[in-house]
Amino acid sequence: MSSISDVQIDHDDHHHAPPKGLMRWVLTTNHKDIGSMYLWFSFAMFLTGGAMAMVIRAELFQPGLQFVEPNFFNQMTTVHGLIMVFGAVMPAFTGLANWLIPMMIGAPDMALPRMNNWSFWILPFAFAILLASLFMEGGGPNFGWTFYAPLSTTYAPDSVALFVFSVHIMGISSIMGAINVIVTIMNMRAPGMTYMKLPLFVWTWLITAFLLIAVMPVLAGVVTMVLTDKFFGTSFFDAAGGGDPVLFQHIFWFFGHPEVYIMILPSFGIISAIVPAFSRKKLFGYASMVYATASIAGLSFIVWAHHMFTTGMPVQAELFFMYCTMLISVPTGVKVFNWVATMWRGAISFETPMLFALAFIVLFTIGGFSGLMLAITPVDFQYHDTYFVVAHFHYVLVSGAIFSIMAACYFWLPKWTGKMYDEGLAKLHFWCSLISVNVLFFPMHFLGLGGMPRRIPDYALQFADVNAIVSLGGFAFGLSQLIFLAVVIKCIRSGEPATAKPWEGAEGLEWDLLPAKAPYHSFSTPPEVK
């Protein structure tokens, strides 16, 4: 009898041996593993979406049709947008949340580790489906990342079905990630860590997670309505059947506007960690930062129709959406003021994370100002659907969200890898990115003011010179990101060992919430919270 139980014990031991090789990554429930996978995946998607942007800028380098067919050009603008929003920016922030939130609140891991694994592993399949749609007969989605009806219903290729399925999977992943963040923050804080002692990165993610849970089902609803309009004979968005194409825009932007804040709120948390560290000062106005973040999130639900000023809504509604949109600039201005006040008379040093954070503050503010211009209804009638809008949201998303993600990677890389990156190479990456991103996006404001429409493969002769400059900036910015890849790989493979406090002199800051030494599984003991 004993021999049977011995066999049983042996079998159990064998069963619980940690998986090796690839299976370790497939089965892992460790928040750091999952955070790393999110970050690498988002970087791969960033390069993929960037390659599509290169196709767009190559076509627009000169007037006339050179490289690609107009239909393929439209597929590139569509899939570029979808990949950058859902495949690059959002998974990168989720990866940062996975890595940092448990450490910052003194938790051993995320609250729901199995669900964490699943929410990551469905993403590669979602994007494989989206990219596969490009190879279908009739081509991939060609209706813009906002997929307005009837372009996405009556006139869409059959691959719209794959697109809808792919968006559903991304949405499921986002909702699971958001639930995990909320449960972790609410239930797993170290003893004594009240809400108003949370690091701001944790706060911004808590608020972002509630936004995700609120708006992702709206996106799921609208893509399902698109699907049934296209394949099942419904008429939600078809006027001939009693529907309304403008209804699509209302539902889409009710998701889409909070979505753009989902892509920037975690940035605010990152910048609020980095600026104090390199200013050697506590963050100025912690409580006002928390309230400002919550205000932005709340206001984001009542401004959606500023994307729709030209659809012919009543003047009363236009005024309402105009004033609400202008109101959002107030809490945003509070944040910028607090960052500047934090740096005021601080002992600032300009390491790479701080350079990216400073660039974020300046360039994000430019994006905010052009957004304020777009908020003004009569003015928006002129700007709407021109390159001015493209310039505006790329300033917010590229020199905003993406720069903050890079700042975060440089800031926490020593903690993640135990090694120091090459500061000289990193600074080269920063300056190449900073210069090229402005050559790429700043002239677009003038193209838009001159009347050049968005999403066109060809344009009038008077825009030729500026487009050539923009395209050169685009190629330069794309190539600059390969330096970033080199910095990270070099750091992992041959970086100098990092000290316990890589950014010396940053006392009393987020670093103190991380233990001094960070071996692989060392975060089960919560650090003392003062």
Side-chain angles (χ1 to χ4, degrees), residues 115-178:
M115 190 166 85
N116 206 11
N117 172 292
W118 193 36
S119 73
F120 170 76
W121 274 112
I122 62 177
L123 272 185
F125 295 96
F127 287 94
I129 291 166
L130 180 62
L131 290 167
S133 72
L134 290 168
F135 300 99
M136 271 186 76
E137 195 180 347
N142 58 359
F143 30 71
W145 83 271
T146 52
F147 53 100
Y148 278 9
L151 294 177
S152 56
T153 52
T154 313
Y155 303 108
D158 286 346
S159 62
V160 72
L162 288 182
F163 154 78
V164 169
F165 185 38
S166 158
V167 169
H168 273 303
I169 300 174
M170 299 169 203
I172 292 166
S173 168
S174 289
I175 289 172
M176 288 197 292

Side-chain angles (χ1 to χ4, degrees), residues 110-235:
M110 296 294 278
L112 305 160
R114 294 272 180 194
M115 190 166 85
N116 206 11
N117 172 292
W118 193 36
S119 73
F120 170 76
W121 274 112
I122 62 177
L123 272 185
F125 295 96
F127 287 94
I129 291 166
L130 180 62
L131 290 167
S133 72
L134 290 168
F135 300 99
M136 271 186 76
E137 195 180 347
N142 58 359
F143 30 71
W145 83 271
T146 52
F147 53 100
Y148 278 9
L151 294 177
S152 56
T153 52
T154 313
Y155 303 108
D158 286 346
S159 62
V160 72
L162 288 182
F163 154 78
V164 169
F165 185 38
S166 158
V167 169
H168 273 303
I169 300 174
M170 299 169 203
I172 292 166
S173 168
S174 289
I175 289 172
M176 288 197 292
I179 291 170
N180 215 342
V181 166
I182 291 170
V183 176
T184 304
I185 296 170
M186 293 183 105
N187 291 339
M188 298 179 72
R189 304 192 303 285
M193 179 173 271
T194 60
Y195 280 109
M196 290 313 269
K197 283 183 181 169
L198 291 177
L200 260 167
F201 179 76
V202 181
W203 254 120
T204 53
W205 242 111
L206 181 63
I207 291 166
T208 302
F210 278 108
L211 281 182
L212 276 166
I213 287 174
V215 302
M216 277 300 165
V218 180
L219 176 65
V222 81
V223 292
T224 306
M225 291 156 91
V226 164
L227 188 77
T228 59
D229 266 18
K230 173 77 178 160
F231 296 104
F232 298 101
T234 57
S235 308

